[in-house]
Amino acid sequence: MFASARTNILLRSLQQTPRTPVLRVATKPIQRLYTTPTGGNKPNQFTMGQGSNNKSGGSGKKGFIFGMHPFAIFASMTLLGSGYMLIVKPFFEWNAIQKEQRDKKKAEIDSASYTDEQIASFPFEKKTVVFVLGGPGSGKGTNSAKLVDDFGFVHLSAGDLLREEQKRPVSQYGELIAHYIREGLIVPHVITIGLLRNAMMDHPESDRFLIDGFPRNLEQAKAFEDTVCKAKKVLYFECPETTLLERLLDRGKTSGRSDDNIESIKKRFRTYVNDSKPVIDEFAKQGKVITISCQGTMDGVYKNTQDQMNKFFNEIGQAPKPIAETAATPSKN
């Protein structure tokens, strides 16, 4: 009975005991960080600019820059100005210079080419085109130069045109051409044919063209005949590989050509055998190939070449020299 009475007294005392003030003491300092002593939520020095600055309370935000120290504002503006002068402005100036250079390059490229209308109106089909083929060092260039004098040809060397294009400062194909030549590979026919076509159009007064070192594969041959004109003949200089190697190494001592070295020469031989020889075989089936042996003296080789070309022009009913040149040549009588 006494235990039950003590339990009841304890329960009543607990119910009448007020809540401990510990929480209120602990929370008051925290509340002061965010509220004013008079109530409301007007910000004080601890609010970092949050809240409202009206007396009736409410909420809002001050602008970032108005809450900054004047020195911080000055420093920020200085950094922004320096960033513009050191980074943004030079970038825009550099970009403008690059655009000017690109526009200049494009204008020079366009001025060196022909329009579609000019190409379409050029009488390619009336021209006499003779392809000059043979292994590297077979004498294509040497004999072509003599044929120019004796028969009034314009000599177009595909290799020379590619090398000139490679060196042209505004060329869009320079690096690509350099890579193909250095590796002894065949330059894409779109580039080579474009250069040959433009070179032919540079000589509208001529009806005869020797195209030296082209086509180097069947794809080039077909593309040229489909887009420019058909070749009348193929002059093929036949020469053993050992002789070609000896000639090229000797030529490399003075030529300054990047492909006149033993590694490039071997690559060019492989390319010639794999890709260029089938072109000669295909034109031979059409009865268009004139084969000239490179064995013997230079004069002997050219004499044979000259005789074959005289025979060719007689077959197609043309004078060995163009009529205009024949008329201009004074009589010996």
Side-chain angles (χ1 to χ4, degrees):
M1 181 176 69
F2 290 105
S4 177
R6 283 197 300 271
T7 301
N8 291 334
I9 293 170
L10 178 60
L11 289 175
R12 284 196 300 271
S13 65
L14 289 174
Q15 291 173 356
Q16 294 172 359
T17 301
R19 294 182 180 179
T20 176
V22 174
L23 290 178
R24 288 199 298 273
V25 173
T27 57
K28 281 183 180 179
I30 299 174
Q31 289 174 346
R32 289 197 198 101
L33 294 177
Y34 300 94
T35 60
T36 61
T38 56
N41 57 356
K42 182 177 179 178
N44 58 20
Q45 65 270 28
F46 300 101
T47 63
M48 299 299 290
Q50 295 181 357
S52 171
N53 57 1
N54 58 62
K55 295 181 179 180
S56 61
S59 63
K61 289 185 178 181
K62 285 188 176 182
F64 170 74
I65 198 166
F66 297 107
M68 295 175 63
H69 191 280
F71 178 77
I73 297 174
F74 173 76
S76 299
M77 297 302 292
T78 302
L79 288 174
L80 289 173
S82 299
Y84 174 79
M85 295 300 294
L86 294 175
I87 300 175
V88 179
K89 185 179 179 182
F91 171 77
F92 283 117
E93 291 176 348
W94 174 84
N95 196 46
I97 293 172
Q98 292 296 309
K99 183 178 184 304
E100 182 180 354
Q101 292 177 348
R102 288 195 300 270
D103 292 343
K104 182 180 179 181
K105 180 176 180 179
K106 183 178 183 303
E108 292 185 15
I109 292 172
D110 292 342
S111 66
S113 60
Y114 292 94
T115 64
D116 293 339
E117 292 76 12
Q118 290 172 318
I119 294 171
S121 63
F122 192 83
F124 291 105
E125 68 283 352
K126 295 182 180 179
K127 309 298 181 180
T128 299
V129 171
V130 176
F131 291 148
V132 183
L133 296 177
S138 60
K140 299 185 297 295
T142 301
N143 288 283
S144 293
K146 296 180 179 180
L147 291 173
V148 167
D149 293 334
D150 290 341
F151 296 93
F153 281 103
V154 169
H155 176 215
L156 302 178
S157 167
D160 288 347
L161 290 173
L162 288 169
R163 281 184 284 272
E164 289 172 7
E165 181 67 17
Q166 173 193 339
K167 296 176 183 177
R168 199 162 63 94
V170 296
S171 173
Q172 54 188 324
Y173 305 117
E175 293 183 4
L176 180 67
I177 293 171
H179 167 74
Y180 277 89
I181 290 178
R182 184 172 54 253
E183 296 299 320
L185 302 173
I186 297 175
V187 177
H189 68 266
V190 174
I191 299 174
T192 309
I193 291 175
L195 294 174
L196 289 170
R197 182 196 62 214
N198 288 353
M200 290 178 67
M201 294 179 69
D202 289 341
H203 299 85
E205 75 289 345
S206 179
D207 291 330
R208 297 179 179 181
F209 293 91
L210 279 178
I211 298 184
D212 164 14
F214 180 91
R216 295 186 62 189
N217 59 29
L218 289 172
E219 184 182 17
Q220 284 188 347
K222 185 178 187 306
F224 184 90
E225 295 200 330
D226 287 346
T227 60
V228 184
C229 64
K230 293 186 177 298
K232 296 290 195 299
K233 280 289 181 180
V234 174
L235 197 56
Y236 168 47
F237 289 94
E238 187 178 45
C239 194
E241 185 172 320
T242 53
T243 303
L244 296 177
L245 179 60
E246 182 182 345
R247 289 181 179 180
L248 289 173
L249 290 176
D250 186 61
R251 186 179 73 180
K253 297 176 182 177
T254 57
S255 69
R257 286 176 47 167
S258 62
D259 55 345
D260 277 350
N261 60 77
I262 188 66
E263 293 182 1
S264 293
I265 290 170
K266 289 181 178 179
K267 292 176 182 178
R268 290 160 68 192
F269 281 153
R270 288 196 297 270
T271 300
Y272 168 70
V273 172
N274 295 334
D275 298 318
S276 300
K277 193 63 170 63
V279 176
I280 298 166
D281 296 338
E282 179 61 30
F283 279 112
K285 294 177 184 177
Q286 304 174 27
K288 291 184 175 182
V289 175
I290 300 172
T291 301
I292 306 293
S293 174
C294 293
Q295 301 289 69
T297 64
M298 291 178 59
D299 290 342
V301 171
Y302 180 69
K303 181 63 170 62
N304 187 15
T305 305
Q306 188 180 38
D307 292 343
Q308 292 293 333
M309 294 307 295
N310 275 318
K311 182 180 178 181
F312 161 66
F313 281 114
N314 287 330
E315 289 175 354
I316 63 175
Q318 293 185 15
K321 277 201 172 185
I323 296 175
E325 291 191 24
T326 302
T329 303
S331 173
K332 294 183 180 180
N333 297 329

